[in-house]
Amino acid sequence: MSTGNVPKPIASTSSFLDDRLGAGNFLKRNLRKIFPDHWSFLLGEIALYSFIILLLTGTFLTFFFKPSMSHVAYEGSYEPLKGVMMSEAYASALGISFDVRGGLLMRQMHHWAALLFVAGMMVHALRVFFTGAYRKPRELNWLIGVGLLTLALLEGLTGYSLPDDLLSGAGLRITEGVAISLPLVGTWITFFLFGGEYPGEDVISRFYSLHILLIPGILLGLISAHMILMWVQKHTQMPGKGRTNTNVVGAPFYPAFMAKAGAYFMFTFGVIALLGTFAQINPIWLFGPYTPADISAGSQPDFYMGFLEGSLRLMPAWEINFLGFTLPLSVLIPALVPMGVIMTGLALYPFVEQWVTGDRSEHHVADRPRNNPHRTSIGMSAITFYGVLWLLGANDEIASIFHVSLNWTTYIGRVLIFLGPLVTYVITYRICLGLQRSDAAVIGHGVESGVIKRLPHGEYIEVHVPPNEAIEAHVRGKAAVPMIAGTETDEDGIPPKGMRGPLGRLRAKMSRAYGGEKVALDEGHGHGHDEHAAVGPGKDDKSLTR
Amino acid sequence: MNRITAGRRHPLARYAVLLLALGLVGGFYTLLAPSSERADAAIASGRADDVAEGKKLFQQSCSSCHGLNAEGTAQGPTLVGVGAAAVDFQVSSGRMPLANPGAQAPRKPPAPWVNADTVRQLSAYIQSLGGGPTVPTDEQVDPAKGDKARGGELFRANCIQCHNFVGAGGALTQGKYAPPLHEASPKQIYEAMITGPQAMPVFNDSIITPDEKRDMIAYIVGVREEPNPGGAGLGRIGPVTEGLVAWIAGISLLVLAAIWITAKKRQAHQ
Amino acid sequence: MTDNHHDIDQPEERVPRRVIGTPSPAAGTSLLGAEEPAAKELTGVPGVTPQDERTARKGERAAALCFTVTLLAGIAFIVSYVVFQVGDLETTKTSTLALGSTLAVALLALAAGIVIWVRMIMPKYNLVQERHPMASGPEAREYVAETFLQGAAESGITRHPLLRRTLLLAAAPLGLAPLVLLRDLGPSYANFSEKLRHTVWGEKTKDGKHRRLVVEGTGAPIRAADFNSPGGILSVVPEGYEHDLNALAKATLILIKFRAEEIKPGTNLNWTHDGIVAYSKICTHVGCPAALYEQSTHHILCPCHQSTFDAADGAKVIFGPAARPLPQLPIAVDNEGYLVATADFAVPPGPSFWERGDAEAEVRENGGHA
């Protein structure tokens, strides 16, 4: 390695490290690794940086928090609770809020970072889903992501129970009620989790070790794996000029991407600091200490648990008794089914899509959501399903703020949970096709220039010009959704091999519906180079407005 | 926003209120014009017979629903035995006279004829009919004399399930609701506990003593007046608004930042 | 419909003049095919376009300003920590505001500074890198497979079944060991479901009397004659267990006073006293305290999932996900006139569990009233 122009301190440090680590080869290949640029590629970083902020603020909180359920009389500085009996955990959380400088700020930042951690994961997962970035070779990383989301929910649940206030206690009680309803093992799980009868004296310290050690440890491991896989597989890129499935176009890791990532970390940290300063979150001193005897109106879980709350509220009263055993379906179904549908659906989607499309090739160029209308519609339906449950999780606040009948919000929710996803599917599908047509019009007929021209015989037309090269390349990045070749029956009416059983026929049918090109782009039109800058009006009108 | 009852936020509400106010003012003016002079004179001279004046007020403003002698009609319950505290609560909080039938009478600005004297007279009349809980003294409802911590425990045991931790109110069944306690005066809080207006249960003085009620008032008033040390209170209704802020403010700001970081800089005008 | 667009296509229309109401070509990435000036490649490295000097100088000044703001805000943060003490709501508010806003300003200014640095000083990049298929190729795979099999053969694990089997067998108890260790997470007894069937209401007090009902929050016993306002409710806990959360999680009550004529047949009148009825406050759905009582309709609403019970009619479910009524507690008065529990709940209170069975039906079969 020539070190001719390298300043001495850098040269000596780097050779010191390289002599011992052999890091040179790795850095040689990776320092200028190319990262494509798109705003939506930064969404996952919200979750990543929130996690780092959670570790930092969380460590601060552990210095002062006492995860103990032993009873003490509060002697801190918040006057309306003076002398009240409470757990040591709650008393120390109050202490962090009022008797430690910066303690309230750190508590609030920790909580806001937790909300942004989950929200960031959600928007990131949606971006990956809608652009098809989970496709081969990234299925494993997608699965890791689903695991991360599930763990994040658990981490949130164990975390917000820790202060042992009346609000978090309501969440804990519901957790217990759900756990004990499980067939066969319910009472065992509950008695082992709580060290006896609910609430016992153990659950806070047990949740504490899960929350600060076990789950973050697994999260850290999985996040590292997630990042390494992303690094090795290189990031997907949006379709565009010069971008293909075999290259990656963008800025180098060092220095540009590194600086951008650093800036985004600071932004995330700054926004969380802003929220922690100006928006009060989880004011535990107003809630009072936990007792299983009391509850407040409008007790809600944090937003990411809201959909479970909503599904529990939506459910009619079903319970089966047989042979002396009880199956509380009105707890089991809402607690397990929506979560199961969403998480399993997410995990299986890449594989189901492969099965339906028969597509086994690698994909590195992201789909624009409109170009795979069925996937986009399925995604939007899932969002609607989740959204209705989430909304229902706040139906008491909705009823109270907008003065509508609480019971009617439930009745409407029971209908919407089935109708909403269907309607969304149809609407999204039509919107996708509409957008595809407008793309086709831009390619086939150019864009409106804003120039009105009067023809010799008096007719007015608007001049169309070919689109900007970058735009055209972006639009032309569209590829037909793959489908299984030869699913049609032959002349004798016999379907091809593998498509004969009921499952095979279903697969063939789904493949034909899911795959293929819905709206083809005009192939013949080159871009910009040829001289027919203005595309005639008149005959285009129909295709433009259709 | 909790301070505004939702009835007032309905788009048609302003017209309804306007019409109603016009109707009330017009109607009561014609009814009261001849007598109000005498009433004023009587009050001014301090020789007012509260019960008699109250009866007149009752017959003008309340008897159409509650009956000429407060015996009750199909539209309104009997008021015999509800006591002065019930009258003071309902009229001073504007719930009565009722503007329009609904699941529940909302808090609203009191009718134009309502003032300390008329309420006292009306209360005296109703009290004379069949007794009942009386209006508490100022001493009984003075928040400064209560023990907040003890009141807080009673408040959490008996009130927050409907009225929420911080008295933000909450939904009940079939369109009914527990109103927010943000505007209720200490006296009204006390009266509500002893009379159990509308859907609210009764907490009589022999079970929750007047001292304990004063503790609860001290807690309610103390908490609603205390500042939010962590920034904007977000309506103090907990995770629902917090989740909205996380998405609407947090995620939006960060998306804007992402767009700024990755935006292509145009070279066209260099 | 005309085809003569060549006639009208004069050269100046290549870059059309802007018409009022249409987007300016400079606003956003234009859809129009206006030629962008070719990127100047001063370094000679394709795809790396340095900023021009003027932009870079402007950027330097702006970024430096941002970093200076960060410096000052950081100092202000430290000063705020020292200056503002905490201890009550007002001082905590001031301290949080000072610390938080200085921190936010410092971080956001740093972020802005770096973005300006990237955008105005660093070159613009449009570099291309080749991707390689993830798969390593058949040769490598074959080599790995061969090596793996060869290694297995060398190790002898395939040829020595005793070795293989005892090794697998040896691992089994070791694998179970951590699970066994978890046993003491749970309590020492194992008849968990029995625990759930009983509450402290079934136990007599130390001097052999029925347990009194006391007011939650004050611990005062309740004289039936005092609880005399129809429409009254009270949250009630067992005497002697006012602060025992495990007991409260099953035994908390909601005590309601009715007018005699309001009580409907679903309520067991033998378990009431003078229109006073006691129900478990623990919801039969997932165990939240169900205590939103409307005296006008006699509805008890659970705030968690909105199960609604008719208190006048044996707390039967009239809305929501709860499947069973709130259990009623048999109450009476002792010789001093205080309310006491004469027996435990006839059925287990609180949420359903697997071993619970249809306790209500059992009680009915035995001639009781559930």
Side-chain angles (χ1 to χ4, degrees):
Chain A
M1 194 187 286
S2 149
T3 51
N5 298 326
V6 182
K8 190 141 180 296
I10 293 177
S12 57
T13 317
S14 62
S15 56
F16 176 87
L17 289 174
D18 192 44
D19 289 347
R20 283 151 188 85
L21 303 173
N25 278 327
F26 175 78
L27 291 178
K28 185 180 147 202
R29 274 182 285 121
N30 286 296
L31 263 184
R32 297 291 269 190
K33 192 175 193 73
I34 299 301
F35 279 82
D37 239 0
H38 192 267
W39 66 268
S40 70
F41 295 168
L42 293 182
L43 294 176
E45 294 186 21
I46 297 176
L48 176 67
Y49 301 142
S50 297
F51 183 70
I52 296 173
I53 295 159
L54 283 167
L55 292 181
L56 295 174
T57 51
T59 306
F60 179 87
L61 296 177
T62 61
F63 293 156
F64 302 97
F65 180 69
K66 295 186 182 66
S68 152
M69 291 173 91
S70 52
H71 277 239
V72 295
Y74 178 67
E75 293 306 334
S77 51
Y78 181 63
E79 200 214 325
L81 287 174
K82 278 224 168 105
V84 172
M85 292 296 290
M86 57 180 63
S87 69
E88 222 178 332
Y90 183 57
S92 66
L94 290 174
I96 292 172
S97 308
F98 295 120
D99 300 311
V100 174
R101 277 178 285 176
L104 182 61
L105 180 67
M106 288 296 133
R107 248 199 68 225
Q108 299 208 118
M109 282 176 65
H110 192 72
H111 207 125
W112 282 118
L115 296 194
L116 286 186
F117 179 51
V118 184
M121 285 173 118
M122 286 177 171
V123 286
H124 172 60
L126 290 176
R127 194 276 296 171
V128 170
F129 180 85
F130 283 120
T131 59
Y134 55 78
R135 288 174 297 177
K136 191 180 173 187
R138 296 184 176 77
E139 304 99 317
L140 293 180
N141 226 9
W142 171 257
L143 287 181
I144 292 177
V146 175
L148 281 171
L149 184 59
T150 317
L151 279 174
L153 299 187
L154 261 182
E155 178 73 345
L157 177 75
T158 50
Y160 75 63
S161 299
L162 289 182
D164 204 22
D165 56 273
L166 194 51
L167 179 64
S168 74
L172 199 59
R173 177 85 222 207
I174 295 169
T175 311
E176 187 256 359
V178 169
I180 207 169
S181 76
L182 293 171
L184 223 58
V185 294
T187 43
W188 285 79
I189 290 183
T190 317
F191 275 67
F192 275 78
L193 179 62
F194 293 92
E197 286 195 82
Y198 178 84
E201 298 250 305
D202 298 323
V203 68
I204 295 292
S205 54
R206 288 181 184 175
F207 271 20
Y208 186 62
S209 40
L210 294 179
H211 181 76
I212 71 159
L213 183 68
L214 186 65
I215 304 176
I218 303 173
L219 279 173
L220 195 61
L222 286 181
I223 289 173
S224 310
H226 204 67
M227 306 302 297
I228 290 170
L229 275 181
M230 184 273 293
W231 187 278
V232 170
Q233 294 175 334
K234 302 194 175 97
H235 207 282
T236 52
Q237 56 191 347
M238 284 296 178
K241 198 169 138 190
R243 298 175 192 174
T244 70
N245 234 347
T246 57
N247 71 5
V248 51
V249 180
F253 176 73
Y254 175 81
F257 185 75
M258 225 162 123
K260 288 179 189 178
Y264 205 53
F265 176 50
M266 292 302 156
F267 268 123
T268 314
F269 211 160
V271 166
I272 287 171
L274 268 187
L275 288 170
T277 311
F278 294 104
Q280 182 165 293
I281 188 165
N282 202 22
I284 50 167
W285 56 93
L286 296 173
F287 303 154
Y290 180 60
T291 155
D294 296 334
I295 195 161
S296 165
S299 287
Q300 308 281 354
D302 273 1
F303 88 81
Y304 43 85
M305 287 291 171
F307 77 108
L308 286 178
E309 181 85 347
S311 70
L312 280 163
R313 289 177 179 189
L314 207 60
M315 191 68 191
W318 290 354
E319 183 165 304
I320 296 176
N321 283 295
F322 63 99
L323 307 173
F325 295 112
T326 300
L327 205 57
L329 294 179
S330 56
V331 184
L332 286 173
I333 293 178
L336 303 181
V337 172
M339 180 92 165
V341 166
I342 291 168
M343 291 299 178
T344 325
L346 281 176
L348 291 184
Y349 197 84
F351 306 100
V352 173
E353 187 181 59
Q354 268 178 29
W355 182 73
V356 167
T357 58
D359 179 24
R360 297 277 184 278
S361 55
E362 283 193 10
H363 293 275
H364 299 289
V365 177
D367 275 336
R368 298 171 77 207
R370 66 186 66 174
N371 290 338
N372 192 331
H374 280 293
R375 176 203 291 147
T376 305
S377 305
I378 290 170
M380 290 306 293
S381 286
I383 291 177
T384 313
F385 178 74
Y386 183 92
V388 169
L389 291 180
W390 189 9
L391 207 60
L392 258 286
N395 71 338
D396 50 346
E397 295 296 355
I398 293 169
S400 154
I401 291 168
F402 299 103
H403 278 235
V404 290
S405 162
L406 187 65
N407 304 64
W408 274 101
T409 60
T410 309
Y411 295 137
I412 292 169
R414 285 176 185 168
V415 176
L416 270 187
I417 192 66
F418 296 109
L419 204 60
L422 285 178
V423 172
T424 314
Y425 195 101
V426 175
I427 293 175
T428 312
Y429 191 79
R430 301 319 305 180
I431 290 176
C432 285
L433 289 196
L435 289 171
Q436 283 197 37
R437 289 205 184 91
S438 94
D439 282 351
V442 165
I443 295 294
H445 309 287
V447 292
E448 293 158 1
S449 63
V451 174
I452 305 292
K453 183 163 282 200
R454 188 180 168 193
L455 300 186
H457 59 269
E459 186 189 354
Y460 286 93
I461 57 160
E462 182 172 8
V463 180
H464 281 68
V465 295
N468 172 316
E469 249 182 40
I471 300 281
E472 181 166 356
H474 187 52
V475 173
R476 282 198 179 276
K478 170 186 184 181
V481 181
M483 58 198 280
I484 303 169
T487 56
E488 304 296 331
T489 52
D490 60 19
E491 299 99 51
D492 306 327
I494 299 168
K497 210 170 160 237
M499 306 282 154
R500 284 178 198 159
L503 194 63
R505 280 200 296 279
L506 175 73
R507 185 182 176 195
K509 213 167 169 181
M510 281 168 71
S511 191
R512 281 196 298 274
Y514 192 90
E517 187 70 288
K518 312 288 177 205
V519 181
L521 296 178
D522 185 355
E523 284 304 322
H525 182 70
H527 48 76
H529 301 290
D530 44 350
E531 282 305 312
H532 59 278
V535 183
K539 64 175 184 286
D540 303 332
D541 286 352
K542 225 170 104 202
S543 53
L544 275 172
T545 52
R546 189 169 53 204
Chain B
M1 103 176 115
N2 288 315
R3 284 163 191 273
I4 305 167
T5 55
R8 279 162 59 190
R9 299 166 74 233
H10 192 277
L12 292 177
R14 65 180 66 180
Y15 303 107
V17 169
L18 192 66
L19 277 175
L20 198 90
L22 282 172
L24 280 176
V25 169
F28 284 124
Y29 183 73
T30 47
L31 283 171
L32 287 174
S35 64
S36 61
E37 240 169 73
R38 267 189 295 131
D40 289 345
I43 290 160
S45 62
R47 286 179 287 105
D49 179 0
D50 281 356
V51 173
E53 289 299 327
K55 182 167 188 175
K56 268 187 221 152
L57 280 166
F58 180 84
Q59 286 174 347
Q60 285 153 5
S61 315
C62 318
S63 59
S64 59
C65 294
H66 292 291
L68 271 176
N69 296 303
E71 71 280 11
T73 70
Q75 278 82 44
T78 175
L79 300 184
V80 176
V82 300
V87 178
D88 189 65
F89 174 82
Q90 299 282 0
V91 178
S92 70
S93 68
R95 288 183 169 81
M96 292 291 149
L98 197 58
N100 43 1
Q104 190 168 324
R107 188 186 186 93
K108 60 182 187 293
W113 55 267
V114 173
N115 58 43
D117 291 319
T118 50
V119 171
R120 192 190 66 243
Q121 290 158 355
L122 204 53
S123 304
Y125 169 63
I126 297 295
Q127 187 76 32
S128 74
L129 294 177
T134 52
V135 177
T137 62
D138 289 345
E139 165 89 13
Q140 274 178 303
V141 299
D142 186 356
K145 295 198 167 74
D147 174 352
K148 278 188 214 169
R150 195 166 70 131
E153 296 203 68
L154 281 166
F155 182 66
R156 283 190 290 275
N158 292 300
C159 314
I160 64 169
Q161 65 261 39
C162 300
H163 289 288
N164 171 290
F165 307 107
V166 291
L172 298 174
T173 63
Q174 308 291 357
K176 293 187 285 298
Y177 57 93
L181 306 179
H182 303 315
E183 287 177 86
S185 69
K187 203 164 139 196
Q188 286 165 351
I189 296 172
Y190 193 101
E191 288 162 351
M193 284 192 271
I194 53 173
T195 62
Q198 309 195 41
M200 178 166 166
V202 183
F203 298 89
N204 68 16
D205 281 349
S206 45
I207 294 295
I208 306 278
T209 64
D211 268 2
E212 287 165 354
K213 289 198 171 82
R214 187 166 61 191
D215 294 341
M216 286 156 87
I217 289 168
Y219 182 81
I220 296 167
V221 173
V223 163
R224 79 180 179 199
E225 283 172 1
E226 76 181 30
N228 290 315
L234 309 184
R236 285 180 168 183
I237 60 168
V240 173
T241 40
E242 291 162 9
L244 283 177
V245 170
W247 279 92
I248 294 172
I251 293 292
S252 309
L253 280 174
L254 287 170
V255 165
L256 286 178
I259 291 174
W260 184 38
I261 290 178
T262 54
K264 292 259 179 304
K265 207 158 167 235
R266 283 179 306 280
Q267 302 182 316
H269 34 187
Q270 275 183 10
Chain C
M1 303 294 121
T2 169
D3 274 331
N4 59 349
H5 59 264
H6 288 292
D7 302 351
I8 58 167
D9 191 19
Q10 279 142 30
E12 74 267 20
E13 261 75 42
R14 286 298 283 113
V15 181
R17 289 179 298 271
R18 188 165 164 246
V19 172
I20 290 167
T22 62
S24 146
T29 313
S30 170
L31 271 173
L32 299 180
E35 299 285 328
E36 284 188 31
K40 289 164 279 178
E41 285 166 359
L42 296 184
T43 51
V45 182
V48 181
T49 320
Q51 303 284 354
D52 67 59
E53 269 309 305
R54 253 185 46 221
T55 314
R57 271 200 305 277
K58 245 167 65 187
E60 186 183 6
R61 278 196 299 275
L65 180 70
C66 288
F67 295 152
T68 314
V69 170
T70 301
L71 169 78
L72 296 176
I75 293 171
F77 179 88
I78 296 167
V79 170
S80 306
Y81 186 85
V82 177
V83 168
F84 298 109
Q85 299 300 314
V86 291
D88 61 47
L89 288 171
E90 283 297 345
T91 53
T92 306
K93 188 181 165 86
T94 317
S95 162
T96 306
L97 189 67
L99 290 174
S101 51
T102 48
L103 181 64
V105 167
L107 293 166
L108 291 175
L110 189 55
I114 299 174
V115 176
I116 291 167
W117 173 22
V118 173
R119 292 173 61 81
M120 298 178 75
I121 300 173
M122 283 192 199
K124 286 195 233 325
Y125 294 99
N126 197 33
L127 295 173
V128 181
Q129 216 165 40
E130 290 305 306
R131 281 183 200 273
H132 309 287
M134 292 311 298
S136 343
E139 271 165 46
R141 286 186 196 185
E142 208 167 300
Y143 175 78
V144 170
E146 270 168 21
T147 314
F148 178 78
L149 291 175
Q150 188 193 340
E154 282 169 3
S155 75
I157 196 141
T158 46
R159 275 177 297 125
H160 300 281
L162 192 61
L163 174 83
R164 195 169 64 231
R165 285 174 200 158
T166 49
L167 178 62
L168 283 176
L169 213 59
L174 269 184
L176 280 176
L179 283 177
V180 171
L181 269 179
L182 292 180
R183 171 60 186 89
D184 280 355
L185 279 179
S188 52
Y189 52 87
N191 52 340
F192 303 143
S193 59
E194 273 314 297
K195 284 269 166 191
L196 297 170
R197 293 179 194 277
H198 305 291
T199 72
V200 295
W201 291 118
E203 300 166 12
K204 297 264 172 76
T205 57
K206 267 175 275 169
D207 35 0
K209 292 187 186 141
H210 288 309
R211 195 168 292 283
R212 277 180 180 166
L213 281 64
V214 300
V215 179
E216 188 200 346
T218 65
I222 305 151
R223 202 184 291 276
D226 289 340
F227 190 57
N228 56 359
S229 307
I233 61 155
L234 210 53
S235 185
V236 166
V237 294
E239 184 181 23
Y241 290 93
E242 293 87 345
H243 293 287
D244 182 335
L245 299 191
N246 283 17
L248 295 185
K250 289 188 297 187
T252 309
L253 301 178
I254 172 169
L255 196 66
I256 305 174
K257 166 77 178 177
F258 291 101
R259 288 179 190 84
E261 68 272 16
E262 290 170 337
I263 300 182
K264 291 185 206 159
T267 314
N268 186 343
L269 281 175
N270 295 331
W271 293 352
T272 65
H273 175 82
D274 191 23
I276 301 174
V277 189
Y279 292 113
S280 164
K281 196 181 182 182
I282 309 303
C283 184
T284 55
H285 179 225
V286 287
C288 293
L292 285 75
Y293 179 64
E294 298 170 6
Q295 66 128 328
S296 48
T297 55
H298 309 128
H299 290 172
I300 301 174
L301 172 71
C302 176
C304 285
H305 307 108
Q306 291 134 19
S307 298
T308 311
F309 307 89
D310 186 349
D313 197 6
K316 70 168 190 200
V317 182
I318 49 176
F319 183 79
R324 293 175 289 104
L326 299 170
Q328 190 186 344
L329 185 77
I331 53 168
V333 290
D334 61 12
N335 46 22
E336 290 173 66
Y338 290 110
L339 288 171
V340 294
T342 57
D344 202 349
F345 294 107
V347 295
S352 299
F353 49 94
W354 177 246
E355 298 90 343
R356 187 182 189 277
D358 198 346
E360 281 77 6
E362 277 170 43
V363 171
R364 271 194 304 274
E365 271 166 33
N366 299 334
H369 195 304

